[in-house]
Amino acid sequence: MFRYILKRSSPFRGAGLILVTFGIVLIVKGLYYSNTHMRSYDVVQKNVSNLLLGDINIRAQTNYTSSTTIRQERHDPILPVCEIDHKALKGREQITLTSQSLISLESMFPESHVGGRFQPKGCKPKSRIAIIIPFRDREIHLKIYLSNVIPKLRRQNADFTIYVVEQAPGSHFNRGMMRNVGFVEASKIADYDCFIFNDVDSIFEDDRNIFRCGRDNSVRHLVTGVDVFDYKLKYSILVGGIIAFTPAQFRKVNGYSNFYFDWGAEDDDIYYRTERENMVIERPEKNSTIGFMSTLKHTRDPEAQYRFNILHSRTNETSHNDGVNSLKYTVKMVSHKKLFTWIYVSVDEDEVLKGLDIRIRRKIAAYRAKTKKT
Ligand code: UD2
Ligand code: MN
């Protein structure tokens, strides 16, 4: 066809040549861009969270990523109040350990709204819940968590949004701080009346364990037994795993302490905060399986011995100055994915620790010097 046109007339021949040249330029350009894209993808793979890699795939497919805030609006007030259909609950179930890709998980829950919000249909929820997951380097756990927990919470007719708060490399992991960041950042997005802090490896087994907050001074620890502790709690004041605070309760205790980098004691610290503020810890029914929780396996971070120095130095006054009201972090990215809102933050560890008593800071420095990899 082209040859025919080229042969027939010279103006057509000119146009044809231009077209062919344009085509060649496009092909060369395309090759160049796909190459540079692959190169930048490689860099991302080496330096940034794997969740961001997931994000690139998701963005290509569904355009969910945005660094702008989505303010989530409340329900239409004329709807009837949502009630839990107890017949729809299944009771205790064994958790499934298969890990699927984020994209196949997304297709399992087409009803989710951008940012990982799930809403009951045709009724007005009694509560608006934010689930806060402190996170670093546990992608498989996150996928197992989502596939097990979302169906259970759907059966509870809950209005919930999942937040994954990931700490960027460059500082030791700080579980308490990531939970505080989740509280502050989620509060900017919507008016939640219940915050449930849930570790990524802690999965409630029984859907009769209703995810809701307590009233007044009752903070709800949603666990009565952990699989690896023979379905008991290791000690009576343990509040790790899954715990629910109303915003007022969380502000009253000033959230978690920001000083516990490394493993341990931030959960005991917040227990003592509730005690000092005359709050009580409420748990699901004791003599049933309702509060049972499964945990996912992982290698344990080394215990930071100095944590007891921090824990034992805490008073009402130090807690009032260390927590949500003294939180310092940098948001590197917020991404409204289909099944969760991802908040990626960096922390300046030395700067945070400046708020701590100098004697304890020396102990931490000595511990770091001793454990430093050579
Ligand atoms: C116990 C507590 C936990 C916490 C911790 C002490 C129970 C059932 N669990 O869990 O609530 O108080 O002791 O610090 O009592 N994380 C990451 N990446 C990391 C490290 C931690 O994502 O590299 C997150 C993740 O959500 C994890 C959570 O922090 O589930 C708790 O950390 P852990 O699993 O290392 O601690 P573990 O199992 O001893
Ligand atoms: Mn764990």
Side-chain angles (χ1 to χ4, degrees), residues 125-341:
K126 286 182 187 156
S127 175
R128 180 88 188 264
I129 303 165
I131 296 178
I132 310 291
I133 303 178
F135 184 85
R136 172 188 273 178
D137 243 358
R138 302 243 179 126
E139 282 78 18
I140 294 176
H141 285 184
L142 180 61
K143 289 164 188 168
I144 297 173
Y145 179 90
L146 295 170
S147 68
N148 282 279
V149 167
I150 294 173
K152 287 186 166 73
L153 294 181
R154 297 288 289 138
R155 292 201 289 274
Q156 294 185 359
N157 230 2
D159 179 340
F160 63 98
T161 307
I162 300 174
Y163 289 86
V164 174
V165 189
E166 178 167 356
Q167 185 175 336
S171 49
H172 295 88
F173 193 68
N174 189 322
R175 294 152 178 80
M177 241 182 135
M178 290 307 107
R179 295 182 183 114
N180 286 343
V181 170
F183 173 77
V184 171
E185 291 298 318
S187 302
K188 291 179 189 167
I189 292 174
D191 297 324
Y192 296 103
D193 48 27
C194 181
F195 285 83
I196 301 193
F197 300 92
N198 199 149
D199 290 346
V200 74
D201 60 5
S202 300
I203 298 176
F204 73 116
E205 296 181 359
D206 195 318
D207 60 6
R208 292 169 298 174
N209 187 356
I210 306 298
F211 267 43
R212 61 174 166 77
C213 279
R215 284 170 203 265
D216 307 323
N217 65 347
S218 285
V219 170
R220 296 194 74 230
H221 181 225
L222 301 183
V223 188
T224 55
V226 183
D227 56 354
V228 287
F229 307 146
D230 227 359
Y231 284 108
K232 293 187 178 72
L233 293 183
K234 217 171 173 182
Y235 46 93
S236 65
I237 64 155
L238 185 135
V239 291
I242 318 170
I243 188 166
F245 283 88
T246 64
Q249 291 168 346
F250 201 66
R251 287 205 183 277
K252 192 157 186 205
V253 297
N254 198 13
Y256 282 84
S257 167
N258 298 311
F259 292 143
Y260 297 92
F261 289 86
D262 299 301
W263 184 89
E266 88 292 341
D267 48 344
D268 299 331
D269 185 297
I270 204 164
Y271 170 77
Y272 290 121
R273 285 173 184 241
T274 62
E275 197 182 68
R276 285 197 293 268
E277 298 296 336
N278 298 317
M279 293 172 164
V280 290
I281 300 292
E282 194 183 285
R283 294 201 177 91
E285 228 174 282
K286 221 179 175 181
N287 298 315
S288 83
T289 62
I290 290 180
F292 284 4
M293 183 178 88
S294 282
T295 50
L296 305 174
K297 286 195 179 66
H298 57 80
T299 52
R300 185 54 125 54
D301 287 351
E303 294 184 25
Q305 290 308 324
Y306 62 81
R307 70 188 188 279
F308 295 116
N309 297 103
I310 306 178
L311 188 64
H312 297 145
S313 73
R314 300 289 85 187
T315 62
N316 244 345
E317 200 192 328
T318 55
S319 301
H320 288 162
N321 297 324
D322 155 37
V324 171
N325 69 355
S326 63
L327 190 60
K328 288 191 195 105
Y329 59 96
T330 307
V331 175
K332 288 168 80 89
M333 192 180 287
V334 175
S335 171
H336 302 277
K337 293 170 181 286
K338 183 152 169 66
L339 297 182
F340 55 90
T341 296

Side-chain angles (χ1 to χ4, degrees), residues 64-128:
Y64 281 114
T65 299
S66 145
S67 56
T68 54
T69 299
I70 295 180
R71 186 92 198 159
Q72 299 178 350
E73 295 310 326
R74 282 201 165 269
H75 284 257
D76 185 343
I78 53 171
L79 291 171
V81 170
C82 299
E83 298 295 343
I84 296 170
D85 175 8
H86 290 274
K87 285 199 290 291
L89 300 179
K90 292 189 177 172
R92 189 178 177 199
E93 281 179 300
Q94 200 157 36
I95 67 158
T96 44
L97 292 172
T98 39
S99 152
Q100 307 179 42
S101 70
L102 274 181
I103 287 178
S104 87
L105 280 169
E106 285 186 2
S107 61
M108 268 170 69
F109 305 108
E111 72 281 19
S112 76
H113 298 270
V114 176
R117 182 183 183 186
F118 290 82
Q119 287 173 280
K121 281 211 176 76
C123 59
K124 187 173 173 276
K126 286 182 187 156
S127 175
R128 180 88 188 264

